[in-house]
Amino acid sequence: MNSRFPRHPTRRLLACALASCLVVAAPAVMAQSTSATIRGQITVDSAPATEAQITATNTATGLTRKVQAANGTYNLGGLPPGTYRIDAVANGQTTTRTVTLQVGQTATINLSAGGLPETAPAGDATTVDAVTVTSEVVAETKTSEIATYVTNKQIESLPQGTRNFLAFADLAPGVAFETGNEGSTRIKSGAQNANGINVYIDGVGQKDYVLRGGISGQDSSRGNPFPQSAIGEYKVITQNYKAEYDQLSSAAIVATTRSGTNNFEGSFFWDYTSTDWRTPTVFEERADDKVQTKEEQYGATFGGPILRDRAHFFLSYEAKEYESPRTLTPGRGYSIDQLPDFLQAEAGTGLFNAPFKEDLYFGKVDWLIGENHYFELTGKYRDEEELTNTGGQNLPSYATNKLNEETRADLRYQYTNGPWLNDFHLTYEDSTFNPSPYTSGIAYILSNRSDNGNADFNNVIVRSGGGSDFQDKGQKGYGIQNDLTFTGFQGHTLKMGVKFKDVDVDATERQPYYPQFTYDVGTSLTQPIHVKFGTALPGVGDGSASSSNKQYGIYFQDDWEVNDKLILNLGLRYDYEKSPTYLDYVTPADVAAALRNSTAINNPNSGINVERYISNGSNRKSFKDGWQPRLGFSYDLFANQEHVIYGGAGRAYDRNLFDWLQLEITKSTFPTTDIDFRLADGSCPRPLPSPGTPCIDWSDAYFDPAVLSTLASQTGLGREVFMLDNNLKTPYSDQFSLGMRNQVGDWLTDVTISRVESKDGFVFLLGNRQADGSFFRPGFSWGPPWGQGFAPFGNLILGTNGLETKTNALYLKAEKPYTAESGWSVTVAYTYLDAREQRESPEVFSLDYPTVAALGWHDAEVPEHRLVATGIYDGPWNTTLSAKLTLTSQPPRYFVNCVNVDQPDNCFIDQYKPDGTYGSKQFDIAAMKEFDTGAGFKMWARADILNVFDWANYNSYQDYPGGFNSPNPEFGIPLAQALPTRTFKLSLGFNF
């Protein structure tokens, strides 16, 4: 068990960018930019300036960028987010203005030399060179992006319990920050699953190529992907992102990290909550017991100058230690007191504890050489260990010990020269995910085979003993990406980029790791009726697969200011990936022959073209149709940025996860064996055992894994077979939107209607067929033909594409941004979703019907209504008060309906909504007091109260409706309560 608990410089640059530089970066697509851009007009005495130079200087780091205006217009890009003094010199006259730029923002700032700025909204007063000017947060209204900014003030002030910076992504309409039953977190946008998102930190995508969750390390983790104290701010783009964003089909989250400044600065924080600081869950109250819990987080930052105005450093460390409650909820309508005595002894009150530990490190060095050369070197290390897979139907002994580790590094070089900006990244990544059984030994699984007329005995009541899950998966490799921006054509911002990644993806999957013995509660508690175990196939492999993948991308983007009202965003990108393990795979000859000889599967009635799944090592091709047009517009009705109509249409391709593709190999090298054991009367537990599932006499000797393994085929005969479509496509979404953005005084409002159609989602279908090629038995509308494999093999699982979702949405947003002068802010985000899906998200196995089309359409398992509102207020005596309210409607849940049928095998996939108006509701508040001790040292204390009204939210329900003619009276009742209950959290720290 693993545990730790010269001449023509412009001409030369252009030649480099279009020729030799593309060879160096040959395989690359531009970096996802976190830099800000300012553009606008400059006038002198109300006339366009004939000659003007604009200089932007970062007031914290001294970074300086310059550009020459042309015909009264200017465009200055590549600015890291922050506060800038903008100096404009035109015709011998000057003007100065100070603004705060946000991540990835394109701000329109018109300047008037020789006088005051054309507009000077109220903001933070800043003194620069003895001239008092106004620092303003400039709203970005003239954009086609559906985007929401999350500022550092919101990250630091709003109440939250996890210190996961992504917890505030739900300030954007359409986006949800979800917490799973075991505390794992994920981001979802619309009706698409979490796999479709991507997070770009300092311009580099954090995509997970192997596992679910969208970004590496978030497949099923309670941990944070990045130290919150190292995040400066971020932007959530739900639609209309530009062509530079790759490997996503839903939301793009663009974040920038903090940098050191010209002053030495540091901080320390510690926050804590425990058992006595929270109210009990509903289930703890029933048990008259309270699980001992703890949530402790701590960390520090330090940064400052290496060379003033030239080089800086920044360091961050964060850790979290959790002990979280888990609740045992036996399946099939059973209670703990109905379990056998020895299982009751392990279950106790049914309340358990699941520990978790995470360490996060981040470091950054930046260096400005002259005014044209800027370097950044960043690195991140993440280390986690946690206990999962306990609670629900699993006793503590059946738990999984999960290790999660990640290292990333990024060397960035920016070169600027007049209207040219080149942004180059060299990246490295190494991410591993390794769950393994917490205890060793065989498993004891108690089931009730009487459900559904004894046809299926795999109806679990509770599990104990050695677990099933062993995985060792990850990705490791290098990447190059280069973005080139040119602003020398009046009215056009041209951006183009290339990207190449060479990443080794690998997976070891041994399922089940320990033998899984199933017992029938109505037959015998000492003699099993079934066993499932895995063994390595001699001479073939050990359940491992790896692939050296190559990823290529290229894009072009033109942001065209047609006039002072209309802006067109015209983009096109192309992505291509080569996965040798998939392309070069050869179907074993005996499998290919058996499939071709199967009169059931290789049958016109089956709807399966077997040749489409038999690979000879040369008949598979990589997907080559990854063209992605992205078009957007914004129209400023009165050319004053106050009322803007915007919209767009585009396509975005994601990717097929290696975790799906690898099953073709690992299932053939570490096959699973299923065996039934005869009952005391000599009969078999299932009336019609399949050829792939033999029924034999029981012997106690089979408790010895060495003896048990002799029952496995030494050639793989009888095993379950996974096969992939030889013409796999790549999942994508088509997106359409139209909206209007308004700026009224200090308030910003936004209303958008959108349509998103996601297509070609990856799916596994059951390839088994009846003898005549049909899927269902005559007279039956449901009942997958399990056991009807293709001799001499067992079940056939086919991987292909085809899953879809359709989402119509209404997004409403109102925001009064925070400024130090006003001292308060309010945000309100409302989402209405009319969403349909073909399969429960993110489930990839759709084995109940023969085709994707046969699955039909269902209401997406997302809330129809979602409201998120926040507020921040700077109170007296250096206090800050904040609050966050989240309300969602009840989403539908899936279940297999075997009750409302005329005969046992006519079950069907159905949906229901649990009782209650709200799916979840939570109101959190926070208050912080700062104590200024002088000499630049400030201490602070903070109190958060999460779920102030102690609303009970549930994340698990009794989804078993009962068997044929035997409805379950407890169908739909809650089984597990989502945390937090009302919880007090104390935080202490200091800044200097």
Side-chain angles (χ1 to χ4, degrees), residues 480-552:
I480 299 172
Q481 53 189 61
N482 191 79
D483 296 314
L484 177 66
T485 304
F486 178 66
T487 58
F489 295 147
Q490 185 172 352
H492 293 268
T493 298
L494 303 178
K495 192 171 185 180
M496 61 205 76
V498 288
K499 173 181 174 180
F500 169 74
K501 294 193 79 170
D502 186 347
V503 179
D504 294 330
V505 291
D506 58 80
T508 298
E509 183 166 330
R510 298 170 184 171
Q511 307 277 8
Y513 194 70
Y514 290 116
Q516 308 289 294
F517 286 94
T518 297
Y519 298 77
D520 176 30
V521 68
T523 303
S524 172
L525 300 178
T526 57
Q527 177 185 319
I529 61 171
H530 177 78
V531 67
K532 177 180 287 190
F533 62 97
T535 53
L537 198 60
V540 177
D542 61 353
S544 299
S546 62
S547 184
S548 182
N549 284 16
K550 306 293 190 295
Q551 300 174 3
Y552 306 83

Side-chain angles (χ1 to χ4, degrees), residues 6 81 89 150 284 297 380 402 546 710 732 752 798 838 846 869 938:
V89 180
V150 180
E284 288 173 325
Q297 301 174 101
K380 181 194 82 169
K402 185 164 60 185
S546 62
T710 63
Y732 70 96
T752 309
L798 303 176
Q838 293 180 291
S846 298
K938 297 179 180 180

Side-chain angles (χ1 to χ4, degrees), residues 216-491:
S216 57
Q218 291 305 114
D219 173 85
S220 55
S221 172
R222 283 184 272 171
N224 299 340
F226 210 82
Q228 180 172 287
S229 57
I231 294 294
E233 58 185 86
Y234 63 97
K235 176 170 65 170
V236 183
I237 313 173
T238 50
Q239 280 181 234
N240 297 350
Y241 26 78
K242 298 178 183 178
E244 61 196 277
Y245 298 101
D246 65 338
Q247 297 182 339
L248 80 167
S249 61
S250 60
I253 298 175
V254 186
T256 183
T257 58
R258 293 177 57 190
S259 300
T261 69
N262 283 332
N263 298 312
F264 286 103
E265 298 173 327
S267 68
F268 170 81
F269 79 89
W270 171 84
D271 67 36
Y272 182 82
T273 186
S274 67
T275 311
D276 296 333
W277 292 4
R278 68 173 178 86
T279 59
T281 66
V282 171
F283 302 96
E284 288 173 325
E285 288 181 338
R286 292 176 186 171
D288 194 25
D289 193 10
K290 201 174 182 182
V291 176
Q292 293 298 306
T293 59
K294 180 188 78 170
E295 294 185 7
E296 184 176 14
Q297 301 174 101
Y298 48 90
T301 67
F302 183 56
I306 300 173
L307 295 172
R308 183 177 177 83
D309 290 339
R310 294 299 174 189
H312 312 84
F313 73 94
F314 179 81
L315 302 171
S316 174
Y317 167 73
E318 290 193 14
K320 64 166 60 179
E321 299 180 21
Y322 281 6
E323 293 179 1
S324 304
R326 297 290 181 257
T327 304
L328 180 71
T329 53
R332 322 316 289 181
Y334 280 73
S335 60
I336 293 177
D337 58 9
Q338 293 177 293
L339 300 178
D341 291 343
F342 66 97
L343 293 179
Q344 287 191 44
E346 182 181 355
T349 62
L351 303 175
F352 316 125
N353 190 286
F356 169 82
K357 177 68 167 70
E358 178 185 51
D359 294 291
L360 279 170
Y361 304 84
F362 173 75
K364 182 177 184 178
V365 175
D366 64 78
W367 188 15
L368 178 66
I369 301 178
E371 294 182 355
N372 303 110
H373 307 275
Y374 177 73
F375 293 88
E376 279 184 358
L377 177 62
T378 61
K380 181 194 82 169
Y381 176 68
R382 173 183 184 177
D383 186 25
E384 294 176 359
E385 182 175 2
E386 65 176 315
L387 198 67
T388 65
N389 204 34
T390 183
Q393 292 157 29
N394 299 334
L395 287 159
S397 61
Y398 199 77
T400 298
N401 186 62
K402 185 164 60 185
L403 307 179
N404 196 15
E405 188 175 2
E406 181 183 19
T407 301
R408 285 184 178 266
D410 174 26
L411 176 62
R412 183 179 195 176
Y413 168 55
Q414 284 187 344
Y415 176 74
T416 59
N417 191 322
W420 295 94
L421 167 65
N422 196 78
D423 191 0
F424 174 83
H425 289 261
L426 175 63
T427 64
Y428 170 79
E429 60 193 275
D430 184 359
S431 178
T432 59
F433 174 79
N434 179 210
S436 60
Y438 180 64
T439 58
S440 59
I442 62 177
Y444 187 102
I445 302 175
L446 187 64
S447 72
N448 181 6
R449 73 184 180 99
S450 64
D451 287 349
N452 305 333
N454 290 350
D456 180 8
F457 58 79
N458 202 19
N459 298 313
V460 175
I461 299 171
V462 72
R463 302 180 184 91
S464 178
S468 171
D469 189 15
F470 178 87
Q471 304 175 56
D472 191 358
K473 302 175 179 179
Q475 59 194 60
K476 182 178 181 179
Y478 296 85
I480 299 172
Q481 53 189 61
N482 191 79
D483 296 314
L484 177 66
T485 304
F486 178 66
T487 58
F489 295 147
Q490 185 172 352

Side-chain angles (χ1 to χ4, degrees), residues 61 137 185 213 220 382 409 458 517 635 637 641 701 741 827 955:
T61 67
V137 178
T185 60
S220 55
R382 173 183 184 177
N458 202 19
F517 286 94
Y635 187 81
L637 292 177
Q641 304 185 60
R741 194 176 289 118
T827 69
N955 53 19

Side-chain angles (χ1 to χ4, degrees), residues 191 757-763 765 801-807 835-849 851-861 894 909-911:
E757 299 179 1
S758 68
K759 300 182 180 181
D760 282 338
F762 188 89
V763 59
L765 299 171
N801 300 98
L803 282 180
E804 299 184 24
T805 67
K806 299 177 181 179
T807 306
R836 303 278 286 168
E837 64 188 8
Q838 293 180 291
R839 187 69 171 98
E840 179 181 1
S841 175
E843 181 57 64
V844 73
F845 287 91
S846 298
L847 308 177
D848 304 320
Y849 293 93
T851 63
V852 172
L855 295 172
W857 287 92
H858 309 274
D859 291 334
E861 200 174 15
Y894 286 87
I909 302 296
D910 204 352
Q911 290 183 308

Side-chain angles (χ1 to χ4, degrees), residues 103-170:
V103 57
Q105 180 183 22
T106 298
T108 300
I109 301 174
N110 297 322
L111 302 170
S112 179
L116 295 174
E118 290 188 1
T119 58
D124 303 339
T126 304
T127 301
V128 181
D129 295 338
V131 178
T132 301
V133 295
T134 299
S135 174
E136 51 188 285
V137 178
V138 183
E140 184 178 14
T141 59
K142 298 174 69 172
T143 176
S144 61
E145 292 178 338
I146 304 177
T148 297
Y149 290 95
V150 180
T151 67
N152 188 259
K153 179 70 174 181
Q154 291 171 314
I155 294 173
E156 292 185 344
S157 300
L158 290 175
Q160 67 151 322
T162 66
R163 288 192 62 86
N164 187 332
F165 79 96
L166 295 175
F168 305 111
D170 61 1

Side-chain angles (χ1 to χ4, degrees), residues 699-781:
S699 169
D700 288 344
Y702 295 141
F703 283 136
D704 183 346
V707 176
L708 184 66
S709 65
T710 63
L711 301 179
S713 168
Q714 299 301 296
T715 61
L717 298 182
R719 65 177 173 86
E720 189 172 66
V721 174
F722 278 66
M723 304 183 73
L724 299 178
D725 195 324
N726 291 334
N727 298 297
L728 280 181
K729 300 179 181 179
T730 301
Y732 70 96
S733 68
D734 286 333
Q735 307 173 1
F736 312 89
S737 66
L738 182 65
M740 185 170 185
R741 194 176 289 118
N742 302 280
Q743 184 170 3
V744 182
D746 292 336
W747 284 84
L748 303 173
T749 65
D750 205 335
V751 56
T752 309
I753 55 174
S754 84
R755 167 80 171 182
V756 177
E757 299 179 1
S758 68
K759 300 182 180 181
D760 282 338
F762 188 89
V763 59
F764 282 114
L765 299 171
L766 183 61
N768 295 359
R769 293 297 187 267
Q770 306 290 343
D772 63 354
S774 64
F775 191 81
F776 300 114
R777 284 185 289 162
F780 291 82
S781 62

